[in-house]
Amino acid sequence: MTYLDLHSHSVASDDSRATVEQYLKWINVLRKRGFTVDGIVLTEHRQYDFDVDYSQLAEQYGVIVLKGAELDTCFGHMLVYNITPGLARDVDFGDVKMDGRELIKAARHHGGFVVPAHPGRFGIGLVEYMALGERFDDVSIVERVNGGSKPEENERADELCQRTGYLGTGGSDAHLASHIGRVVTEFKANIATSEQLVEALMSGQFRPVPIAETAAAPVS
Amino acid sequence: MPTAIDYEYDHSLYGVEHESGPFDVTPEIIATYTRSVGEDNPIFTDADAARAAGYGNVVAPPTMCALFERGELPDIKLQFGRRQFHGGQRVEPRAPVVAGDRLTASSHLKDVYTKTGRSGTMVHVVWETTFRNQDGTVVAEVQRSQVVRE
Amino acid sequence: MPATAKLYFEDTELGDEIGPIILSVTDEQVIDFCSLWGNPHPNRFTDQAEAERVGLDAPIVPGIMSMALVSRALTDWAGPGVVSDLDLVFRGSVPHNQPLHVAFQISDTSQQDGLNQVQCDITMTGPVPDRPYIIGTALLTLPSRE
């Protein structure tokens, strides 16, 4: 079992005010309070830095740190996991109007995986585009619980999953240290790398859980 | 290095310091500021208490410099959007500002970039300003992010 | 030991939660504040019709005034003269005449080069903390009891 926060932003994102080390310190605060968070995925806005290496920090604090991205598309924000140089070559991460459907295909082609973020969010979530008649045949998983969304927006994401059969992940969407881990995804698999994260997503063996529900979880 | 965006604006503003001021920090401005936000610590409201605490005069609250920056920044002539709102503000106080100080400001354009959100496409315009007092001492570094939306 | 000290470094710990400190501002306070930067009443911060003209439901508290309110809450908690960096993101409209809940959470502490510093997360919300009007951080430089 692995509990990962699949959506977080460090100071590399323009609107976040948390360093990666502050996130890792806070996860240890959460652990002292009895909660379980095994790791985080940093999903910086509109960018991916191949050079930055968090392995030393990860080891120091005993937290898995993976890297992804949250990209702006013409169909809302999309979380991208297991980003490869090939994907970064084919997709302009800074293009806020990129075709989201093409991004999903490109990520899959390069061994990555795309999960539409906060699909119930007003004005920008996938639900809005589906209501306009857009189809997303390549989507199978969405972010069902987003820690930064309004309750009614998460309800819309929940309804979307019930209606379509989409599977759902959970992520804090943290922009502050103390918000990390407030929503996580519980995976049946043990995950330590981005490749394993993609495999675990494709297995369908996961569910979103609020931090409170991790309190009784066995330590992994 | 400015971020590339799809909308036209005046790139010549990069690398240019825009000077403004002087701004006189009067006891009246401090009094109105503190009264309007309920800041009632005596060093901000009482000159004698401020002097007893080691300051030269009644002290301006640490974010007051941001007041002087407003309205002083050049128009970047952005070819986008109709509505503006204040997206973010950062203040790093470096030295106390007290009544009687005379401040000047030096501002430069830091970045202009695009993102999307609940209200559609937004362009963020980020300015950095350094405030100095009459002795040339830096008293605050201020960053302001103005957001223009469709 | 500064005469104005209210909070000492030794009193802080990573994970501490402070508040909420509950504030509110009246229409008159906003009018007063706007007069300071040459924005006389009526304007979108002080007048219903002007606010609606620019697409707002009601007049809002200006960003720099909201920042001043957060700064005041920091003074209330930690004392004056301790803020080394205050960095805020304005995420939603801050209303007049409503309770504003300002909360701090200590996210880091450090003692280096003779400086005792505490980093804290900041949120300002309404009474229902579902989505903050403001998020941000403050870096405080605190006195030591030693």
Side-chain angles (χ1 to χ4, degrees):
Chain A
M1 206 87 99
T2 311
Y3 291 84
L4 293 180
D5 183 340
L6 295 186
H7 189 166
S8 64
H9 301 274
S10 79
V11 286
S13 294
D14 65 300
D15 54 354
S16 170
R17 299 294 181 266
T19 65
V20 175
E21 186 165 13
Q22 285 165 356
Y23 279 143
L24 306 191
K25 286 182 178 181
W26 195 267
I27 284 171
N28 281 300
V29 169
L30 294 175
R31 288 173 175 174
K32 276 188 194 158
R33 293 176 184 171
F35 302 117
T36 306
V37 181
D38 295 309
I40 62 173
V41 186
L42 294 160
T43 50
E44 309 295 3
H45 287 298
R46 303 174 295 282
Q47 60 185 296
Y48 184 86
D49 186 342
F50 285 96
D51 297 328
V52 66
D53 178 7
Y54 297 114
S55 56
Q56 218 166 0
L57 276 178
E59 191 177 342
Q60 182 183 343
Y61 289 95
V63 178
I64 300 161
V65 181
L66 304 179
K67 295 188 296 179
E70 182 179 13
L71 302 184
D72 295 25
T73 81
C74 63
F75 298 121
H77 295 183
M78 298 206 177
L79 299 165
V80 190
Y81 303 114
N82 194 30
I83 292 170
T84 61
L87 179 63
R89 213 170 29 243
D90 287 357
V91 174
D92 175 2
F93 284 15
D95 177 6
V96 300
K97 292 176 180 168
M98 74 171 78
D99 185 331
R101 282 188 283 247
E102 292 302 316
L103 171 65
I104 293 168
K105 283 183 187 151
R108 187 161 294 179
H109 174 71
H110 288 287
F113 200 91
V114 170
V115 174
H118 40 69
R121 193 165 286 185
F122 296 113
I124 195 169
L126 206 67
V127 166
E128 305 260 328
Y129 300 101
M130 292 174 95
L132 294 171
E134 298 287 352
R135 286 171 57 103
F136 299 94
D137 296 335
D138 291 325
V139 170
S140 56
I141 301 171
V142 296
E143 187 184 43
R144 191 169 189 160
V145 186
N146 173 283
S149 287
K150 298 174 182 174
E152 58 270 35
E153 291 174 331
N154 277 329
E155 281 168 23
R156 296 208 314 166
D158 205 54
E159 286 162 15
L160 172 68
C161 288
Q162 289 181 33
R163 192 172 71 243
T164 59
Y166 288 165
L167 299 176
T169 62
S172 67
D173 202 354
H175 290 69
L176 293 179
S178 57
H179 289 178
I180 196 75
R182 58 189 171 177
V183 181
V184 295
T185 305
E186 177 193 83
F187 290 94
K188 286 217 166 139
N190 290 323
I191 299 168
T193 67
S194 290
E195 290 84 356
Q196 289 170 348
L197 171 60
V198 170
E199 280 173 31
L201 285 167
M202 292 173 82
S203 77
Q205 301 292 300
F206 58 85
R207 67 182 184 115
V209 289
I211 186 76
E213 283 187 33
T214 70
V219 176
S220 54
Chain B
M1 182 70 176
T3 308
I5 71 166
D6 289 339
Y7 310 104
E8 291 295 319
Y9 66 98
D10 184 358
H11 286 249
S12 72
L13 289 166
Y14 283 110
V16 178
E17 288 296 324
H18 175 78
E19 310 295 336
S20 58
F23 307 106
D24 287 317
V25 181
T26 64
E28 293 74 24
I29 290 175
I30 296 176
T32 304
Y33 189 93
T34 52
R35 188 177 63 242
S36 63
V37 299
E39 180 78 85
D40 59 3
N41 189 281
I43 74 158
F44 301 129
T45 59
D46 180 343
D48 291 338
R51 289 192 186 101
Y55 298 96
N57 202 341
V58 67
V59 180
T63 59
M64 209 181 90
C65 281
L67 197 66
F68 298 121
E69 175 203 35
R70 214 190 142 79
E72 296 290 338
L73 301 172
D75 180 6
I76 71 160
K77 300 184 178 67
L78 178 68
Q79 302 301 303
F80 169 80
R82 293 177 294 124
R83 290 179 177 154
Q84 288 204 22
F85 62 96
H86 196 169
Q89 184 87 39
R90 179 176 191 177
V91 176
E92 296 171 83
R94 298 281 192 235
V97 174
V98 298
D101 280 352
R102 172 169 273 208
L103 307 182
T104 52
S106 179
S107 307
H108 60 263
L109 184 62
K110 186 187 181 199
D111 198 7
V112 180
Y113 62 92
T114 313
K115 62 194 289 189
T116 58
R118 286 187 179 85
S119 52
T121 302
M122 299 174 285
V123 175
H124 285 239
V125 181
V126 185
W127 288 90
E128 285 181 331
T129 300
T130 301
F131 282 92
R132 290 182 174 80
N133 66 14
Q134 60 282 358
D135 302 323
T137 303
V138 173
V139 295
E141 302 281 359
V142 174
Q143 183 170 303
R144 176 187 183 82
S145 179
Q146 196 70 18
V147 180
V148 185
R149 69 184 196 203
E150 290 168 292
Chain C
M1 184 190 299
T4 55
K6 286 177 82 172
L7 181 71
Y8 292 86
F9 182 78
E10 290 78 8
D11 301 331
T12 66
E13 191 177 349
L14 173 66
D16 282 355
E17 301 187 2
I18 296 94
I21 295 166
I22 301 172
L23 310 172
S24 68
V25 285
T26 63
D27 299 338
E28 291 70 29
Q29 284 175 296
V30 179
I31 290 170
D32 240 14
F33 192 91
C34 286
S35 72
L36 284 169
W37 37 272
N39 199 1
H41 178 62
N43 58 60
R44 66 187 169 127
F45 302 113
T46 65
D47 180 77
Q48 182 69 33
E50 288 293 318
E52 286 175 12
R53 207 171 57 78
V54 296
L56 298 167
D57 293 335
I60 62 172
V61 178
I64 51 174
M65 184 172 185
S66 300
M67 178 176 237
L69 291 165
V70 170
S71 174
R72 176 212 150 168
L74 285 167
T75 306
D76 289 353
W77 165 45
V82 300
V83 176
S84 294
D85 189 354
L86 181 57
D87 190 1
L88 303 180
V89 179
F90 303 124
R91 288 187 154 192
S93 301
V94 177
H96 301 196
N97 307 311
Q98 302 283 332
L100 304 172
H101 291 227
V102 182
F104 308 118
Q105 296 191 297
I106 295 179
S107 60
D108 213 350
T109 61
S110 71
Q111 285 186 294
Q112 215 172 0
D113 304 327
L115 292 177
N116 310 297
Q117 295 198 303
V118 169
Q119 179 94 14
C120 60
D121 288 353
I122 299 166
T123 53
M124 180 193 280
T125 68
V128 182
D130 62 347
R131 195 165 166 81
Y133 304 137
I134 294 174
I135 67 164
T137 55
L139 180 67
L140 309 180
T141 304
L142 297 177
S144 168
R145 289 190 192 280
E146 290 168 7

